[in-house]
């Protein structure tokens, strides 16, 4: 079984937040997250792992039973990931893995 590094889930969820134009304190419900998560190519269950990772890292806060919002730190990190001009090796690896996963999705 393939074991992906946690950073892959982090990058994928930040991509989802960027696609949803999430901002600090702006609640995003689970249905919207699920809809965008499909485009990552990752498993549905991985979304919950990614949400837990970012909540533990204090980049994300629950705003209801099935809604979350970025903290100001999380929003800043999402912008940094989206606009990285000079990617680090970790950035490049995470992006490459996500691209390979997306390419393997059936049409």
């Amino acid at each position: 079984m393939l074991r992906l590094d946690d950073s892959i889930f982090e990058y994928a969820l930040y991509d989802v937040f960027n696609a949803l134009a999430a901002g600090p304190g702006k609640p995003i419900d689970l249905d919207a997250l699920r809809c965008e998560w499909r485009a990552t190519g990752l498993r549905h269950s991985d979304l919950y792992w990614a949400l837990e990772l970012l909540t533990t890292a204090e980049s994300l806060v629950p705003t209801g039973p099935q809604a979350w919002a970025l903290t100001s730190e999380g929003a800043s990190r999402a912008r940094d990931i989206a606009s990285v001009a000079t990617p680090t090796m970790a950035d490049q690896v995470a992006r490459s893995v996500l691209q390979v996963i997306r390419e393997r999705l059936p049409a």
Side-chain angles (χ1 to χ4, degrees):
M1 176 184 223
L2 178 64
R3 171 78 173 114
L4 296 176
D5 186 79
D6 292 346
S7 63
I8 304 302
F9 305 115
E10 176 189 3
Y11 275 79
L13 191 53
Y14 280 127
D15 286 346
V16 166
F17 286 129
N18 280 316
L20 294 171
K26 180 180 171 185
I28 299 173
D29 69 11
L30 184 59
D31 289 336
L33 291 169
R34 283 181 182 151
C35 185
E36 282 298 322
W37 187 260
R38 286 185 190 107
T40 69
L42 296 169
R43 295 177 306 196
H44 177 76
S45 60
D46 293 334
L47 171 60
Y48 298 103
W49 176 243
L51 289 167
E52 184 179 325
L53 283 172
L54 293 188
T55 301
T56 302
E58 298 180 355
S59 292
L60 192 64
V61 292
T63 59
Q66 293 190 359
W68 291 264
L70 285 169
T71 62
S72 56
E73 182 179 315
S76 174
R77 177 89 171 117
R79 281 190 303 275
D80 290 346
I81 286 175
S83 66
V84 67
T86 310
T88 64
M89 182 60 81
D91 295 330
Q92 292 174 0
V93 168
R95 291 286 179 222
S96 295
V97 170
L98 284 170
Q99 184 61 37
V100 167
I101 291 170
R102 284 184 192 118
E103 288 171 358
R104 292 184 179 192
L105 278 178

